[in-house]
Amino acid sequence: MEALPKHHFLLIPWPAFGHIIPFFQLAKRLADAGISVTFLTPSSVFPRLPPLHLPHHLSLISFHPLSLPLIPELPEATTTSDFHIPLRAAFDALQPLFQTLLPKLSPKLIIHDFTSYWLPEIATTFGIPTVYFSIFNAASLAYLIVPHRVTGKSFPPTAADLTSSPPGFPSSAVYFHPNNWKGLIHFLSLKSPALNAFLEATWLGDAAQMDSGSSREFVKCIDRLDKQPIKSVTYVAFGTECRLNQAQTNAVAIGLEESGFPFLGVRRASIHGVFEKLPNGFLERVQGRGLIFEEWMPQARI
């Protein structure tokens, strides 16, 4: 007889793949510890997630669809890769839904993203504890939300403030660029107690890493890279948000082919699960020199 799950946790990431994937990896680590997980995210996300292979992952991780409310300011959207626009207003409109959803799901613990700043207050009324899971590392958060930036007369910080180190910080070549300012102001404007409780713990250290044992493609990739001279391979990836059109896809492929160098490319499907076509005969002509993958790959580990 299989052992019963130790606990049931509810995971709620912000609907952007840069957030969804780390939460998905966290769900697998929790299942490894015998904890059942309900993963709450828009249903269109489910087919785009890496597949689950291990029996205990399949039995302990379940997916609950989340429908974002339609509001006048936004078209219908499910993730930030569907529409490159802010979804915060739609996400905030979910608050009444959680008043009825939490009693039904009855989680032992809720693990949420920074945009669900209003969730702990709702969960408290049902006696459910919450934990904020940050996909951002502690160093970058310390630079961004040091008290000098979020309190007193200096708030909200100006573009000039954010492109220089806070007082008392060592000078650094790492800094925010002026074009980051609007997005960061949006982040800092969240009236959230979570902004004072960012956590980074070693037991979550590998939560955002891909389980290499579950991906044959990853093993194939590493095997190929290990056989190449150091710094000889060009890595080509445009992230989870960017989608190339047909002309751009052709241009990148032609450039890689004519360069003559080894390369590793990662392609992402459109929001409808369709890939732009590669030039005729491209894969055959670069065989042995180039690899193209059409699934999510652990970029940091590569």
Side-chain angles (χ1 to χ4, degrees):
M1 178 180 295
E2 294 184 4
L4 294 175
K6 297 177 181 179
H7 297 294
H8 172 223
F9 290 0
L10 178 63
L11 270 60
I12 311 170
W14 169 241
F17 272 88
H19 295 246
I20 291 169
I21 291 296
F23 270 76
F24 180 69
Q25 302 305 324
L26 175 60
K28 294 198 292 186
R29 300 291 80 78
L30 293 171
D32 290 342
I35 297 171
S36 69
V37 174
T38 296
F39 200 89
L40 192 64
T41 196
S43 58
S44 65
V45 167
F46 303 153
R48 307 186 212 175
L49 291 172
L52 296 173
H53 297 287
L54 300 179
H56 67 281
H57 288 170
L58 293 168
S59 63
L60 291 176
I61 300 175
S62 60
F63 299 94
H64 192 289
L66 178 68
S67 297
L68 296 180
L70 295 178
I71 59 175
E73 294 83 359
L74 299 174
E76 184 176 1
T78 54
T79 72
T80 57
S81 64
D82 293 345
F83 296 98
H84 294 274
I85 53 176
L87 293 177
R88 175 181 164 189
F91 208 71
D92 285 350
L94 289 171
Q95 296 178 55
L97 170 66
F98 279 91
Q99 295 282 0
T100 57
L101 185 62
L102 293 184
K104 294 179 181 178
L105 296 178
S106 299
K108 187 74 173 181
L109 177 72
I110 299 172
I111 303 178
H112 64 96
D113 216 327
F114 76 97
T115 45
S116 308
Y117 60 93
W118 36 261
L119 187 56
E121 184 175 355
I122 297 174
T124 298
T125 63
F126 300 104
I128 303 172
T130 61
V131 170
Y132 165 67
F133 174 51
S134 174
I135 68 161
F136 310 105
N137 64 53
S140 62
L141 287 174
Y143 186 95
L144 176 61
I145 62 169
V146 65
H148 170 78
R149 297 205 193 278
V150 296
T151 60
K153 296 180 180 179
S154 61
F155 186 84
T158 65
D161 292 332
L162 290 177
T163 53
S164 59
S165 300
F169 272 57
S171 59
S172 173
V174 178
Y175 55 89
F176 294 115
H177 292 270
N179 62 323
N180 301 136
W181 177 71
K182 288 186 178 180
L184 294 172
I185 289 298
H186 159 77
F187 172 81
L188 292 171
S189 69
L190 296 176
K191 303 298 184 182
S192 170
L195 291 177
N196 299 317
F198 285 112
L199 304 176
E200 185 176 74
T202 55
W203 71 279
L204 294 178
D206 67 342
Q209 295 185 1
M210 179 72 168
D211 180 4
S212 60
S214 68
S215 174
R216 294 180 181 178
E217 293 299 304
F218 179 78
V219 173
K220 180 181 178 182
C221 165
I222 293 300
D223 181 64
R224 174 69 65 86
L225 290 176
D226 285 344
K227 296 176 181 178
Q228 306 300 320
I230 294 175
K231 297 185 179 180
S232 67
V233 179
T234 299
Y235 178 65
V236 183
F238 295 91
T240 55
E241 299 289 327
C242 179
R243 296 293 185 273
L244 302 185
N245 60 32
Q246 188 62 65
Q248 293 167 330
T249 299
N250 291 340
V252 171
I254 292 170
L256 290 172
E257 181 178 351
E258 295 185 352
S259 73
F261 292 107
F263 66 86
L264 168 64
V266 180
R267 304 178 69 206
R268 301 292 295 181
S270 71
I271 62 173
H272 304 294
V274 177
F275 290 94
E276 300 294 347
K277 295 181 180 179
L278 291 168
N280 289 334
F282 171 77
L283 294 177
E284 291 76 11
R285 292 192 296 273
V286 301
Q287 188 173 7
R289 177 167 63 86
L291 288 177
I292 297 290
F293 293 110
E294 296 181 344
E295 65 174 50
W296 183 85
M297 298 295 285
Q299 178 168 284
R301 296 184 67 184
I302 289 176

